């Protein structure tokens, strides 16, 4: 199993219930490689000091959420040079036309019109290199990354066809929609780490008062009934969040708040989320105070990753005819 996350922006509770908790769950059942994709992050402009800080904060966060370095490999992408090397080779079988058609490339080109760099277009090729280096069977991602996993499959099949069987062809493992958390200000929109309205998203780093205040201000609707309904996206979203953090079903949540008022309900959701975040924040803070430990975890993660990656890379170099002595 292979997945990665970019160290850009602050993570929201949506990232927590979607990506992070799934990574933690899967480490027990699969041989997992998890990367912090700093090489992907620099395809849009980053402040170097901030990038460095976010990388280590993200590593600490994942450990705080329960990733266990004894059970999985957690590492920083740029610490394993094989990613760049395989990325270059895959570039020679990837077509400009297919990269230009990628939805995320088109979106980001619009958003960063002053910085449409080669890396931005090449992003999916580097992602393919990430995945294929580890011969991953499954790639847990959100629906927005599915197209990139599909292009990874295409590149693997193309390479295997041209040079002989080399790469395992991976499957996307799309994370459940049930965990989809919407904006608190516009429940038709996904909660996003880059929303301009600061009340729309609850961040994992938010303190208790901030969490509770944001839920208090969450958009609901004019009647006062708490039930799951397409006509009540705000209330349904809050019930979803409550269920995700309480670990109960959506129906249980609905039952629990039957007959409650909106005010009490929002407060209960806010408190539940704040209660769940507190120990994670506390643990993350403790880990960040011990940089030597974190650096160690990442160093042995990178060594582990390199060992696995090198096997694939040697094979690739042989297949394409790079001279390594005869
Ligand atoms: N592009 C992914 C994202 O932004 C992060 C990523 C980089 C990734 N390399 C990967 C995800 C390999 C899965 C597999 O979410």
């Amino acid at each position: 199993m292979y997945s990665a996350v970019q160290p850009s922006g602050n993570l929201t509770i949506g990232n927590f219930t979607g990506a992070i908790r799934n990574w933690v769950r899967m480490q027990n059942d699969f041989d997992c490689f998890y990367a912090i994709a700093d090489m992907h992050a620099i395809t849009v402009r980053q402040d170097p000091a901030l990038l460095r800080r976010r990388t280590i904060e993200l590593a600490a966060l994942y450990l705080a959420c329960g990733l266990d370095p004894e059970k999985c490999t957690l590492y920083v992408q740029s610490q394993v040079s094989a990613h760049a090397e395989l990325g270059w080779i895959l570039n020679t079988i990837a077509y400009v036309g297919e990269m230009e058609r990628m939805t995320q490339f088109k979106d980001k080109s619009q958003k960063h019109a002053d910085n449409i760099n080669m890396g931005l277009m090449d992003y999916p090729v580097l992602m393919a290199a990430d995945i294929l280096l580890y011969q991953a069977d499954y790639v847990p991602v959100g629906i927005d990354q599915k197209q990139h996993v599909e292009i990874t499959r295409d590149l693997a099949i193309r390479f295997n066809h041209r040079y002989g069987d080399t790469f395992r062809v991976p499957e996307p493992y799309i994370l459940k929609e049930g965990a989809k958390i919407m904006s608190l200000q516009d429940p038709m929109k996904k909660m996003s780490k880059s929303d301009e309205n600061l009340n729309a998203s609850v961040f994992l780093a938010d303190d208790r008062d901030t969490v509770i205040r944001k839920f208090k201000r969450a958009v609901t609707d004019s009647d006062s009934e708490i039930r799951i309904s397409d006509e009540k996206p705000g209330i349904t979203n809050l019930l979803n969040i409550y269920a995700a953090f309480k670990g109960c079903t959506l129906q249980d949540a609905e039952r629990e708040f039957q007959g409650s008022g909106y005010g009490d309900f929002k407060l209960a959701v806010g408190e539940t989320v704040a209660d769940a975040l507190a120990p994670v924040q506390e643990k993350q803070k403790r880990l960040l105070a011990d940089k030597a430990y974190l650096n160690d975890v990442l160093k042995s993660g990178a060594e582990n990753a390199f060992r696995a990656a090198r096997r694939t890379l040697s094979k690739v170099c042989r297949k394409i005819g790079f001279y390594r002595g005869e």
Side-chain angles (χ1 to χ4, degrees):
M1 174 116 6
Y2 188 94
S3 198
V5 60
Q6 293 190 57
S8 50
N10 294 316
L11 296 183
T12 69
I13 53 171
N15 302 121
F16 181 71
T17 58
I20 304 183
R21 283 214 299 209
N22 279 297
W23 283 22
V24 173
R25 201 162 38 76
M26 285 179 303
Q27 67 182 346
N28 297 313
D29 304 328
F30 296 90
D31 184 9
C32 297
F33 287 86
Y34 294 135
I36 299 179
D38 53 350
M39 291 164 71
H40 279 100
I42 59 168
T43 57
V44 301
R45 225 165 266 134
Q46 300 286 341
D47 172 61
L50 198 57
L51 179 63
R52 207 172 288 126
R53 201 180 79 214
R54 283 184 168 153
T55 300
I56 194 71
E57 283 179 358
L58 196 56
L61 179 70
Y62 272 88
L63 295 172
C65 290
L67 268 202
D68 179 350
E70 301 288 320
K71 290 190 189 159
C72 68
T73 298
L74 176 68
Y75 72 103
V76 178
Q77 182 189 32
S78 67
Q79 291 182 14
V80 179
S81 59
H83 293 255
E85 295 173 63
L86 182 60
W88 176 258
I89 293 167
L90 293 179
N91 271 332
T92 64
I93 64 160
Y95 299 116
V96 172
E98 62 190 352
M99 293 304 137
E100 281 173 337
R101 281 197 294 276
M102 292 285 114
T103 309
Q104 185 184 286
F105 172 67
K106 290 193 275 189
D107 289 350
K108 287 196 176 174
S109 300
Q110 263 183 11
K111 214 167 137 200
H112 305 276
D114 58 337
N115 185 23
I116 306 176
N117 61 78
M118 293 297 292
L120 195 64
M121 188 156 93
D122 208 25
Y123 182 113
V125 178
L126 178 60
M127 187 160 152
D130 295 345
I131 297 165
L132 298 180
L133 273 176
Y134 300 91
Q135 305 285 358
D137 292 300
Y138 300 108
V139 184
V141 284
I143 191 83
D144 63 311
Q145 295 296 314
K146 186 164 177 246
Q147 196 179 40
H148 292 160
V149 181
E150 275 156 7
I151 201 83
T152 299
R153 290 171 57 85
D154 292 346
L155 292 174
I157 292 167
R158 197 176 300 161
F159 190 100
N160 288 347
H161 185 70
R162 213 169 281 178
Y163 297 103
D165 223 15
T166 309
F167 296 122
R168 193 161 301 182
V169 181
E171 304 267 353
Y173 183 104
I174 301 303
L175 300 170
K176 293 254 182 321
E177 277 299 300
K180 190 159 172 193
I181 288 184
M182 312 305 281
S183 157
L184 296 190
Q185 293 297 314
D186 176 1
M188 303 308 280
K189 247 178 40 187
K190 201 177 138 190
M191 185 180 285
S192 153
K193 49 188 178 183
S194 51
D195 203 304
E196 272 156 33
N197 185 341
L198 289 177
N199 286 318
S201 310
V202 178
F203 297 103
L204 295 184
D206 282 346
D207 63 32
R208 187 178 187 83
D209 290 348
T210 307
V211 172
I212 290 174
R213 178 167 42 79
K214 285 180 177 176
F215 279 104
K216 239 182 234 167
R217 293 190 186 160
V219 167
T220 48
D221 51 49
S222 51
D223 81 39
S224 58
E225 225 186 315
I226 297 173
R227 63 186 159 88
I228 308 160
S229 158
D230 287 346
E231 281 145 40
K232 298 172 73 78
I235 292 295
T236 304
N237 185 37
L238 293 178
L239 283 168
N240 231 327
I241 295 172
Y242 182 82
F245 278 84
K246 201 78 183 181
C248 65
T249 68
L250 190 56
Q251 285 69 26
D252 285 341
E254 183 185 46
R255 215 166 302 126
E256 187 174 339
F257 290 104
Q258 218 167 39
S260 303
Y262 279 1
D264 290 344
F265 171 51
K266 288 179 177 182
L267 182 63
V269 181
E271 282 178 337
T272 300
V273 172
D275 286 348
L277 296 187
V280 171
Q281 292 169 347
E282 186 52 42
K283 180 127 195 256
Q284 185 193 24
K285 210 167 115 198
R286 269 207 315 275
L287 285 163
L288 283 169
D290 189 355
K291 288 280 160 44
Y293 170 74
L294 287 177
N295 294 343
D296 256 12
V297 167
L298 293 177
K299 182 157 174 267
S300 50
E303 283 165 4
N304 238 346
F306 177 67
R307 215 170 307 123
R310 190 179 47 189
R311 224 172 297 140
T312 302
L313 190 61
S314 311
K315 200 163 155 192
V316 168
C317 289
R318 196 159 9 94
K319 299 256 185 187
I320 54 178
F322 284 174
Y323 185 72
R324 293 290 184 270
E326 262 164 356

